[in-house]
Amino acid sequence: MAETILKFENFGFKYNAQAEPTLYDINLEIKKGEKVLIAGPSGCGKSTLIHCINGLIPFSYQGEKTGSVTINGKETSDMGIFEISQTVGTVLQDSDGQFIGLTVAEDIAFALENNMVGEPDLHDKVIRAAKAVNVQDLLHHAPSELSGGQKQRVSLAGVMVEDVDLFLFDEPLANLDPATGKQAIELIDRIHEETGAAVVIIEHRLEDVLHRHVDRVVLMGEGRIISDTSPDELLSSDLLEKHGIREPLYITALKYAGVNIRPEMNPWNIETIRLSEEDKIRLRVWFNNIDIPKKDNTNGVIFSAEDIEFTYSGGFKAIENISTEVRKGELTAVVGTNGAGKSTFAKLICGFETPQKGRMFLKGKDISDLSIKERADHIGYVMQNPNQMISKVQIYDEVALGLVTRGFDGQTIKERVDEALRICGLWPFRNWPVSALSYGQKKRVTIASILVLKPEIIILDEPTAGQDYRHYTEIMDFLEKLNDMGMTVLIITHDMHLMLEYTKRSIVFTGGKIIADTDGAAVLTNPDVISRANLKETSLYNLANICGIDDATAFVRKFIDYEREVARK
């Protein structure tokens, strides 16, 4: 029988600052060699559970506990945080918050130096860990020079050097492009196999995690464990939908077609699912019966760029000869690999950077001479990292800040702030300090702080990263309503579900250039674009091929239309 690494027994926890417990009656056991996915909506207690595992509770967050948590049979309350770190290695969602060294090598070596490991042992262990995650060529680079995927690999190497028994990954896919996210799951799977350690993954993106097999999925809701079962059993139930977690798209499509999902079908992955000929016929009939008229945007151009080029001071050409137009009222996805130029282009639009060549126009007028403040009156920008936008202590004050600086009266400020807080799911926390929020909740604060200004164009850099399906849907439905009212929305995203479900146009960046400008279905069924832009084909494409549908792009388009016009109405 496998050795038990982690065990919760009748465990509950209440923060000192809160009236009600965050966790209730948790019973959970993780054995050596297991790979477990923990999923659940925001606020369900996942972060608190993580803190109980890695020692931040009780050492950083104080509160009252009931029951017990043991690591290798020893109560965590009897262990120091240093001792816990010898067994549990944590890779945080925000990799920037985990870096300590000035170089990659220093960061990987940090834990070893704390343990007073001397040369040449320290050097050998750093090299071995770096090679295991393929960052051996980056050892002399500063963390700031790394891409999101590279940062995550370095963080993993930093915990691997100590031969821990349990790897804990906190939303490892939140800030990665699709292909890099796929590689991250493959890397976690390989490390799991090679080390024999237990792996716990906390993640909203269920389908992406199930690119590789997991032994169990623990579903949480309102501080309790709702379900602890195999992926096949979970996907055959309605628990995901009930508790605000997005099920895989191919599962949704099969359900729309009337296919009964059963555990014996091995539905956990599109490559393993076993469909009968009757199931395939049902899907083809459903596909052929969908007929939803296409609606084109005939509005005038609100923003355009002509021959834009931009090179950073170090000589890196981030944007090369970009020309594009955006019509009023469009909801557009901007996608591509990390470092492709998406965020740089958004910064140029907002005036944070100045292009060396080319011009940009807002409603036909050249905006080259407009200041950042003047552009902000028309164009709102929500950054990818919420910590780079937040400047106030209290949530309410942060959301109100833009209105206060613009001189709005108190009543208008209150009405707009209250509306934005409700839309972004932050109303219950309106009197909280920002520091008490999770990363995903902070993200919603920054979105609310821009929405109150009611700009004509809003640019959002990864607005749904770290959001559960319910909050993701609330935010996107609200953005869609704004779009229906005439607001133009540009979304920089790695979320292919978002691109497919909500946007009708996708601009694809690679190497500072636009390589495709079409709808999401055409993008995610084009192998050349997928490869060049570091994207990942949609499972709907694979499902169409499995079921003998010749035009996979048409199938994906009809699924999207059905979702938009029928399923979500």
Side-chain angles (χ1 to χ4, degrees), residues 437-453:
L437 300 182
S438 69
Y439 186 84
Q441 289 169 325
K442 288 179 183 178
K443 191 87 170 190
R444 298 207 299 275
V445 170
T446 61
I447 293 173
S449 69
I450 296 298
L451 293 182
V452 294
L453 301 178

Side-chain angles (χ1 to χ4, degrees), residues 466-478:
Q467 301 297 304
D468 63 55
Y469 186 51
R470 180 169 65 85
H471 286 119
Y472 159 104
T473 303
E474 285 177 357
I475 289 169
M476 290 310 304
D477 284 350
F478 174 68

Side-chain angles (χ1 to χ4, degrees), residues 393-409:
V393 174
Q394 296 296 123
I395 293 171
Y396 191 96
D397 294 339
E398 179 63 33
V399 177
L401 180 61
L403 297 173
V404 172
T405 58
R406 284 163 173 79
F408 281 83
D409 65 88

Side-chain angles (χ1 to χ4, degrees), residues 82-384:
F82 176 76
E83 183 181 357
I84 292 174
S85 73
Q86 305 296 295
T87 301
V88 180
T90 305
V91 179
L92 298 174
Q93 175 184 353
D94 180 8
S95 297
D96 290 327
Q98 191 154 352
F99 286 119
I100 300 216
L102 297 178
T103 66
V104 168
E106 287 182 14
D107 204 78
I108 296 174
F110 178 75
L112 299 174
E113 291 174 334
N114 269 353
N115 286 336
M116 294 186 291
V117 176
E119 292 280 6
D121 213 18
L122 182 145
H123 180 268
D124 291 343
K125 287 189 174 185
V126 168
I127 295 296
R128 195 181 313 128
K131 285 182 176 179
V133 298
N134 196 29
V135 295
Q136 66 271 20
D137 296 330
L138 303 173
L139 291 174
H140 299 295
H141 287 242
S144 60
E145 299 171 348
L146 307 182
S147 70
Q150 290 169 334
K151 288 178 180 178
Q152 190 178 74
R153 287 171 179 264
V154 172
S155 296
L156 178 54
V159 298
M160 284 181 62
V161 290
E162 293 193 287
D163 299 321
V164 296
D165 294 328
L166 171 63
F167 288 105
L168 186 60
F169 292 90
D170 185 6
E171 300 205 27
L173 305 180
N175 298 310
L176 303 182
D177 64 56
T180 305
K182 182 177 178 181
Q183 293 163 9
I185 292 300
E186 291 169 353
L187 175 63
I188 292 170
D189 189 62
R190 179 167 62 80
I191 297 302
H192 172 246
E193 290 183 359
E194 292 177 358
T195 64
V199 169
V200 174
I201 303 171
I202 292 85
E203 182 58 66
H204 295 294
R205 289 161 58 175
L206 186 73
E207 180 174 347
D208 293 325
V209 175
L210 293 180
H211 171 60
R212 288 290 184 264
H213 193 263
V214 302
D215 297 301
R216 293 150 53 202
V217 181
V218 176
L219 183 63
M220 294 187 65
E222 297 182 349
R224 304 177 188 275
I225 291 178
I226 304 298
S227 170
D228 183 351
T229 187
S230 71
D232 287 332
E233 291 283 351
L234 182 62
L235 292 176
S236 301
S237 72
D238 61 356
L239 288 173
L240 292 176
E241 184 180 357
K242 279 184 177 179
H243 294 281
I245 301 297
R246 183 58 154 119
E247 65 186 5
L249 289 181
Y250 63 91
I251 295 291
T252 303
L254 289 168
K255 287 182 177 179
Y256 286 160
V259 176
N260 181 30
I261 308 299
R262 305 174 304 282
E264 58 268 24
M265 295 167 67
N266 285 353
W268 70 270
N269 188 289
I270 186 62
E271 295 177 3
T272 64
I273 193 168
R274 293 198 293 264
L275 298 175
S276 67
E277 190 55 39
E278 183 182 352
D279 294 332
K280 295 176 183 179
I281 291 171
R282 281 179 181 272
L283 191 77
R284 291 197 294 268
V285 169
W286 175 76
F287 163 64
N288 290 325
N289 286 340
I290 296 174
D291 185 18
I292 298 173
K294 188 176 180 181
K295 301 175 185 176
D296 292 321
N297 186 331
T298 58
N299 294 335
V301 173
I302 190 171
F303 171 83
S304 62
E306 292 182 0
D307 301 321
I308 299 296
E309 292 196 0
F310 177 75
T311 302
Y312 284 102
S313 57
F316 172 66
K317 181 170 273 192
I319 297 293
E320 185 174 352
N321 195 33
I322 293 292
S323 295
T324 189
E325 293 181 340
V326 178
R327 292 186 177 276
K328 178 177 172 57
E330 279 190 328
L331 202 165
T332 300
V334 181
V335 301
T337 182
N338 291 96
K342 307 182 301 295
S343 294
T344 299
F345 186 55
K347 291 174 184 176
L348 292 171
I349 295 172
C350 296
F352 303 151
E353 302 284 0
T354 303
Q356 286 92 17
K357 179 185 174 185
R359 297 189 300 169
M360 290 178 288
F361 301 87
L362 182 66
K363 294 188 289 190
K365 295 182 179 180
D366 193 327
I367 60 173
S368 301
D369 295 331
L370 293 186
S371 67
I372 293 175
K373 163 65 172 63
E374 289 169 327
R375 295 192 197 195
D377 289 336
H378 306 279
I379 303 168
Y381 180 52
V382 180
M383 298 173 71
Q384 179 175 353

Side-chain angles (χ1 to χ4, degrees), residues 6 8 11 13 15 46-63 65 69-71 74-90 92 166 168:
L6 173 71
F8 286 83
F11 183 80
F13 183 79
Y15 290 99
K46 300 190 304 297
S47 295
T48 301
L49 196 71
I50 294 169
H51 295 156
C52 292
I53 296 172
N54 62 21
L56 289 179
I57 292 176
F59 297 103
S60 293
Y61 303 104
Q62 304 300 314
K65 72 160 194 162
V69 186
T70 57
I71 294 175
K74 188 173 182 179
E75 282 284 346
T76 55
S77 55
D78 297 331
M79 305 169 70
I81 196 166
F82 176 76
E83 183 181 357
I84 292 174
S85 73
Q86 305 296 295
T87 301
V88 180
T90 305
L92 298 174
L166 171 63
L168 186 60

